[in-house]
């Protein structure tokens, strides 16, 4: 493969750091959501993988595995405890140490500015449903660009806005646990405005940086050839795959295929059409599976349902998601079709399986096969001349998988959460050898 292709591994602050109240950190919506016992078996990220204290050892492991690029996110409430106002010097110092540790190990840091852990104080002011968040976010981005921009070249403004607005503000299964269109639609619009504004702030302060943002993308197929199922699939595709990229590219929201989105207009202010547009240097695509869709009269707004993979007799991961490697190829192809996108990285791909430790070893052949088969599809895309410039495995270590707690294991490295001991799994060893060329 092309020597400039970026190989990496991805993580997120809340899922690994712990140190939830260490050294002046403010509460995030995930601290509050988990404290209410909202996740699997009341799991929380108060300690998680203790990456806050063990980052040196984990960066050393990344180095041992020959992984040249490390994607991690910054915790907004560690840096600005109340979300706005005073900056926490110890939060800045922590990320300075982490960035410097990466660089000292020859590892390129890739920063995600927002991976879902909104400062709780901002949620009290309305969170993503309050338009003022566009200014709050722009200020946070400015603080980070000024603090870390001298050493960090690769930036991602957001992680999967569809998931934090959909699961957090529509379905209520992620923090902050809000539901309904009245929360979801303004959250979507403000996330789009904040994403574009964040891109502008970064580019203005760091003109040499590569600035991107990341989107979840699942390949959508209709259950049958019936026109009803085909249209249902188009609506779901508009919601899951097009809602955030198209306004950035200047096409507005995909209202023609999903009419309920017209209601977002209520939240528009003069000039928003232009403010929603921003040309990112790259788009990160995060793919895990495909979805099969059928028409449904009883499901409001989309008139469609996803056919549960468990009922489709297909291979499944521990998340209950279908293992379907061609999905990643299809998503690369889909995003290549937009003229405004010139660079694509796969910023997440990976799988949870029920690992077992035998004689101190985790032989996770399913995960290894999952990654290898997805890489074949990435290579196929590249061989066909489609743009794709990098691939990051989700994730480094087993960690806190949001509402599912510590149950699903996604890591290349096993973590014993009693002792915090790390054990590189067979998949991690394989990835290390593959990248090391031996
Ligand atoms: C992504 C998310 C990650 C991780 C992964 C596996 O949607 O960005 O934080 O949880 O899914 O579910």
């Amino acid at each position: 493969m092309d020597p400039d292709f970026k190989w990496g591994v991805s993580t997120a602050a809340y899922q690994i750091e712990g140190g939830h109240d260490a050294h002046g950190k403010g509460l995030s919506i995930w601290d509050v959501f988990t404290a209410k016992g909202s996740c699997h078996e009341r799991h929380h990220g108060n300690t998680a993988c203790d990456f806050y204290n063990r980052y040196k050892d984990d960066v050393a492991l990344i180095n041992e595995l020959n992984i040249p690029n490390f994607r991690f996110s910054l915790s907004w409430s560690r840096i600005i405890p109340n979300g706005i106002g005073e900056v926490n010097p110890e939060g800045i110092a922590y990320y300075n140490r982490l960035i410097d540790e990466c660089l000292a190990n020859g590892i390129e840091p890739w920063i995600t500015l927002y991976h879902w852990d909104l400062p709780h104080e901002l949620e009290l002011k309305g969170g993503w449903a309050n338009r003022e968040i566009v200014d709050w976010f722009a200020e946070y981005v400015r603080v980070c660009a000024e603090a870390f921009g001298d050493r960090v070249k690769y930036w991602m403004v957001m992680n999967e806005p569809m998931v934090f607005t959909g699961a957090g503000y529509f379905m209520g299964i992620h923090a902050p646990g809000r539901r309904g269109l009245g929360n979801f639609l303004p959250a979507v619009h403000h996330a789009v405005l904040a994403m574009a504004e964040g891109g502008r702030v970064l580019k203005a302060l760091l003109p040499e940086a590569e600035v991107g943002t990341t989107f979840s993308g699942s390949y959508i197929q209709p259950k049958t050839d019936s026109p009803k199922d085909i249209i249902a699939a188009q609506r779901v595709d508009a919601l899951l795959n097009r809602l955030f990229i198209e306004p950035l590219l200047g096409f507005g929201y995909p209202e023609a295929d999903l009419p309920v989105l017209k209601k977002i207009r209520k939240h528009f202010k003069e000039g928003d059409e232009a403010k929603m547009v921003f040309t990112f240097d790259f788009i990160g695509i995060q793919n895990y599976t495909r979805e099969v869709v059928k028409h449904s009269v009883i499901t409001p707004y989309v008139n469609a349902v996803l056919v549960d993979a468990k009922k489709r007799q297909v291979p499944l991961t521990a998340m209950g998601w279908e293992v379907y490697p061609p999905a990643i190829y299809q998503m690369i192809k889909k995003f290549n079709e937009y003229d405004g996108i010139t660079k694509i990285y796969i910023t997440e791909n990976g799988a949870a399986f029920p690992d077992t430790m035998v004689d101190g070893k985790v032989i996770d052949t399913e995960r290894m096969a999952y990654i290898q088969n997805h890489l074949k599809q990435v290579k196929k895309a590249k061989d066909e001349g489609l743009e794709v410039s990098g691939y990051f495995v989700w994730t480094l270590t087993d960690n806190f998988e949001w509402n599912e707690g510590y149950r699903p294991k996604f890591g290349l490295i096993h973590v014993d959460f009693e002792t915090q001991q790390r054990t590189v799994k067979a998949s991690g060893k394989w990835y290390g050898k593959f990248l090391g060329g031996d």
Side-chain angles (χ1 to χ4, degrees), residues 12 15 115-116 159-160 163 286 288 319 321 348 394 401-402 410:
Q15 295 180 273
H115 202 128
W116 309 353
N159 182 73
E160 301 189 353
V163 177
Q286 316 198 149
Y288 290 88
M319 295 293 280
W321 300 340
E348 286 182 22
W394 182 268
E401 175 54 31
W402 308 112
F410 273 92

Side-chain angles (χ1 to χ4, degrees), residues 294-306:
K294 70 173 183 190
H295 175 79
S296 151
V297 273
I298 53 166
T299 317
Y301 317 123
V302 285
N303 291 121
V305 285
L306 306 181

Side-chain angles (χ1 to χ4, degrees), residues 381-401:
K382 196 139 176 80
D383 289 347
E384 287 177 14
L386 294 173
E387 159 51 31
V388 52
S389 296
Y391 175 92
F392 288 61
V393 172
W394 182 268
T395 183
L396 183 66
T397 53
D398 293 340
N399 65 26
F400 176 80
E401 175 54 31

Side-chain angles (χ1 to χ4, degrees), residues 375-437:
L375 279 175
K376 283 184 193 148
Q377 296 288 328
V378 174
K379 185 168 185 307
K380 175 178 172 208
K382 196 139 176 80
D383 289 347
E384 287 177 14
L386 294 173
E387 159 51 31
V388 52
S389 296
Y391 175 92
F392 288 61
V393 172
W394 182 268
T395 183
L396 183 66
T397 53
D398 293 340
N399 65 26
F400 176 80
E401 175 54 31
W402 308 112
N403 55 322
E404 300 263 11
Y406 296 94
R407 187 191 61 79
K409 313 284 184 202
F410 273 92
L412 294 172
I413 298 172
H414 174 273
V415 176
D416 176 331
F417 287 99
E418 298 291 313
T419 61
Q420 290 292 346
Q421 196 185 331
R422 274 64 166 152
T423 306
V424 179
K425 301 178 193 176
S427 60
K429 291 185 183 159
W430 166 78
Y431 196 49
K433 277 202 182 130
F434 171 73
L435 297 180

Side-chain angles (χ1 to χ4, degrees), residues 9 33 51 118 122-123 145 166 169 191 194 215 238 293 308 318 337 347 368 379 385 387 395 408 410 416:
V9 66
F33 189 69
F51 182 81
L118 186 72
L122 298 184
E123 176 58 21
Y169 282 76
F215 298 117
V293 172
D308 195 339
E337 280 160 14
T347 39
M368 208 157 32
K379 185 168 185 307
E387 159 51 31
T395 183
F410 273 92
D416 176 331

